[in-house]
Amino acid sequence: MTVRLSVKRLNVTIGARKVLTDVSFEARRGEIVGLVGDSGSGKSMTALALTDLLPRGAHASGLLKLNGIETDWESRTRLRGRRIGVVFQEPATALNPLMNIRDQVTEVVRLHSDLSHSQSRRHSEELLARVGLSNSSIPGDRYPHELSGGQRQRVAIGRAIVREPDVFLFDEPLSNLDAQLRDEMRGEIKKLHQQLGVTMIYVTHDQIEAMTLADRIVLMREGVMEQIGAPLDLY
């Protein structure tokens, strides 16, 4: 199976403190790879390195390959046309509180396409429908503060789909939801993956989420990758 994303010997330091040590893994085309570990294990720092969102003062080294194009963190070379769609733990940080959800998705559609305004509106309605947000009970003229946490997360996923990313990165997307809604959203993410067939990196501290969603799991502890394998192998 084609390797979509490859991370080799990723090291991250903040000042004199080493927070990631020689992290290496691959994500194949259409695969869900779970990054699992307790708080401070380095899983979220790995996600930040992949999205060029490392905190101030952090220094990264190693090699990153996406779609066969290799770059390195040390020289801060950017991959031309790199497309990694990110869904964060708290979707409200990615949503404009002054815009309704239809306009928020339409705005991203227009930024990433040559469609007219009316075409962008139609496309945004299609995207909202794909994430279960286009019906009479949840109209597109709702604002973020009028939505539940799960509904806001669906809008964030819809906005990420617009870019047609090569890789989706989910950073603890369900940790702020209650148990029932987490179960529901796990099913929605699995369904979305089956529909899109894209590669996903899924960061979580929840072992059940990882076992349920991931094809392979990267187990991290204190900045080191301890194990990698299929869920049943690790179990």
Side-chain angles (χ1 to χ4, degrees), residues 1-2 9 16 28 64 71 95 107 113 129 155 175 199 205 208:
M1 190 179 295
T2 305
R9 301 183 303 279
R28 303 169 188 134
L64 170 67
T71 187
L95 301 180
E107 177 186 51
S113 73
V155 177
S175 61
T199 302
H205 66 276
I208 294 175

Side-chain angles (χ1 to χ4, degrees), residues 123-144:
H123 188 42
S124 67
E125 290 289 355
E126 293 169 4
L127 289 171
L128 288 171
R130 289 176 72 179
V131 294
L133 287 177
S134 184
N135 56 53
S136 57
S137 62
I138 312 171
D141 59 2
R142 292 276 186 92
Y143 287 80

Side-chain angles (χ1 to χ4, degrees), residues 17-114:
R17 182 168 63 94
K18 199 159 193 177
V19 292
L20 288 180
T21 303
D22 288 336
V23 173
S24 299
F25 64 91
E26 293 179 342
R28 303 169 188 134
R29 184 174 183 176
E31 183 179 40
I32 300 179
V33 174
L35 299 184
V36 184
D38 295 331
S39 178
S41 64
K43 61 187 187 302
S44 290
M45 189 63 70
T46 302
L48 291 174
L50 289 174
T51 54
D52 293 327
L53 294 174
L54 286 170
R56 185 183 298 275
H59 174 78
S61 64
L63 297 175
L64 170 67
K65 183 183 286 187
L66 181 63
N67 287 336
I69 304 173
E70 191 170 78
T71 187
D72 64 277
W73 276 281
E74 201 157 34
S75 65
R76 299 190 180 277
T77 303
R78 295 293 189 265
L79 283 172
R80 182 176 298 175
R82 179 163 74 183
R83 292 204 303 257
I84 298 179
V86 186
V87 179
F88 294 103
Q89 177 177 346
E90 177 46 67
T93 60
L95 301 180
N96 185 339
L98 303 179
M99 293 177 68
N100 65 47
I101 61 175
R102 184 187 296 108
D103 288 344
Q104 300 218 30
V105 175
T106 301
E107 177 186 51
V108 182
V109 170
R110 296 195 70 185
L111 282 173
H112 294 278
S113 73
D114 296 323

